[in-house]
Amino acid sequence: MGVISISGTKGGTGKSTVAMGVTIWISKLRPKPILLIDGDLHVRSVELKMCPVRDVTLTDVLAGKKSWEDAVYACELESEGELLYPRLAVLPAGGRFLPPMKADSHLAYLDLTRRIFSRMISDLRGKFDTIIIDTPASISYEHIILIAVADQVLYVCEPNDDSIKATLATAQGLMRLMEIEPAGVVLNRVPGSIDVKPWLEKVSKIAPLLGTVPDDDSVGDAFRDNLPVVAAYPDSPASLAMKEVAKKLLRLKLKPAELPKRLDLAIKKVAARVEAERT
Ligand SMILES: Nc1ncnc2c1ncn2[C@@H]1O[C@H](COP(=O)(O)OP(=O)(O)OP(=O)(O)O)[C@@H](O)[C@H]1O
Ligand SMILES: [Mg+2]
């Protein structure tokens, strides 16, 4: 398959729910190793629900202190003593993000992070057939890198204008700056009581629609027990909707991203814009 980042710009749209859901379904549907990277160093939903309390994490890898090999763990979810998803591994987020080593300028910092990420992802590609990255809300440098390393991005929106407009702006900006293509969009938390058609039209401006996930109490019930809904309630409406999204993702033909080229492109475009504004 390839590398897919899950993004949604606004907080709480269901990025982590969808990231965990589609990863679990892909691991069940495709007999190949799959890795879920928890890229949210602040909320750490994936880490808490799938592989709690680990010594070595993404934070250590990004800081250049540890190798990614030390930070990849089997997903710990089990039933009656057996691993539920034996093909699924997790790279936990860890704590606060620390700039890698002693970067003495912004450019040195960018260069260092770019090298660490490129190496890590290219090594991981050799080990895992599919890599899904859960990213945090909003746009920060660490967020952009987590998206730039992906072949394509899956956007998760809710049926409201705030969420859809913010995601559309992000998708257009990523395309313009780094030519990052969307894999598709998922409309999450759709209440049974609304007419979904106008919302489907709006989200389809972001990317091709890969599915709608209903607003489903099972998701919150599972969250409170610190479990992904697909593990706690595999036959719930939200879980089954994510299975359909996973099937569509499996049909995508992804082209591996060239991270150094992408970031160079973005830096050049930003520099050109700053220069144009100055003159
Ligand atoms: N389909 C759904 N039905 C009902 N509740 C949902 C659904 N999807 C997500 N939720 C609930 O919404 C909340 C936010 O979900 P989640 O953590 O997946 O969002 P997020 O976009 O990853 O948030 P953040 O921006 O903090 O990373 C959780 O409490 C979750 O239980
Ligand atoms: Mg999240």
Side-chain angles (χ1 to χ4, degrees):
M1 253 264 281
V3 183
I4 294 181
S5 282
I6 314 284
S7 173
T9 314
K10 202 170 164 290
T13 61
K15 298 175 290 299
S16 301
T17 300
V18 171
M20 291 185 282
V22 297
T23 304
I24 292 175
W25 277 118
I26 291 174
S27 89
K28 283 158 74 89
L29 294 166
R30 187 173 168 96
K32 300 215 167 156
I34 175 165
L35 175 71
L36 177 58
I37 300 181
D38 189 350
D40 193 334
L41 304 165
H42 308 288
V43 180
R44 302 161 70 179
S45 296
V46 172
E47 180 183 340
L48 291 172
K49 289 175 182 56
M50 298 174 80
C51 142
V53 194
R54 285 304 177 179
D55 294 342
V56 184
T57 62
L58 182 61
T59 309
D60 304 308
V61 180
L62 299 188
K65 287 185 192 156
K66 294 277 180 186
S67 147
W68 63 265
E69 275 115 332
D70 301 323
V72 170
Y73 302 92
C75 170
E76 283 181 2
L77 295 170
E78 55 171 49
S79 168
E80 295 169 5
E82 301 257 320
L83 288 181
L84 270 174
Y85 316 112
R87 290 190 282 267
L88 199 164
V90 179
L91 203 165
R96 204 161 52 87
F97 181 71
L98 298 171
M101 300 178 248
K102 288 196 197 83
D104 53 8
S105 73
H106 288 321
L107 278 182
Y109 171 65
L110 278 177
D111 194 47
L112 213 49
T113 332
R114 171 170 46 185
R115 274 190 282 132
I116 290 173
F117 265 95
S118 302
R119 258 253 312 276
M120 179 178 90
I121 292 292
S122 107
D123 287 353
L124 288 170
R125 276 182 198 272
K127 196 151 178 352
F128 294 94
D129 167 75
T130 305
I131 300 171
I132 307 278
I133 307 177
D134 182 26
T135 74
S138 86
I139 296 285
S140 62
Y141 177 62
E142 89 206 26
H143 183 191
I144 288 183
I145 289 258
L146 289 165
I147 290 179
V149 295
D151 302 335
Q152 285 188 301
V153 182
L154 177 65
Y155 293 101
V156 180
C157 287
E158 288 183 275
N160 64 61
D161 285 329
D162 285 359
S163 158
I164 294 173
K165 280 187 183 155
T167 307
L168 182 60
T170 301
Q172 289 173 338
L174 290 172
M175 189 68 188
R176 205 170 46 237
L177 278 182
M178 291 188 274
E179 294 170 8
I180 301 179
E181 305 229 2
V185 59
V186 171
L187 189 62
N188 184 37
R189 298 202 78 161
V190 180
S193 56
I194 66 163
D195 174 12
V196 75
K197 236 177 113 201
W199 298 109
L200 296 183
E201 266 169 41
K202 287 184 185 188
V203 285
S204 62
K205 295 203 173 84
I206 301 170
L209 181 77
L210 289 196
T212 60
V213 179
D215 193 40
D216 178 351
D217 286 346
S218 313
V219 180
D221 291 344
F223 245 71
R224 277 182 288 280
D225 288 337
N226 257 332
L227 287 169
V229 66
V230 177
Y233 307 105
D235 297 322
S236 62
S239 169
L240 294 177
M242 288 191 274
K243 182 179 186 182
E244 295 310 307
V245 175
K247 282 189 196 161
K248 289 198 179 149
L249 286 174
L250 281 171
R251 281 188 225 124
L252 292 177
K253 295 261 174 297
L254 302 175
K255 198 169 121 245
E258 290 173 60
L259 180 60
K261 195 176 133 208
R262 248 188 203 173
L263 288 179
D264 283 345
L265 196 68
I267 290 167
K268 271 190 204 132
K269 286 193 184 176
V270 172
R273 195 182 297 168
V274 171
E275 194 54 39
E277 277 170 18
R278 220 189 277 157
T279 51

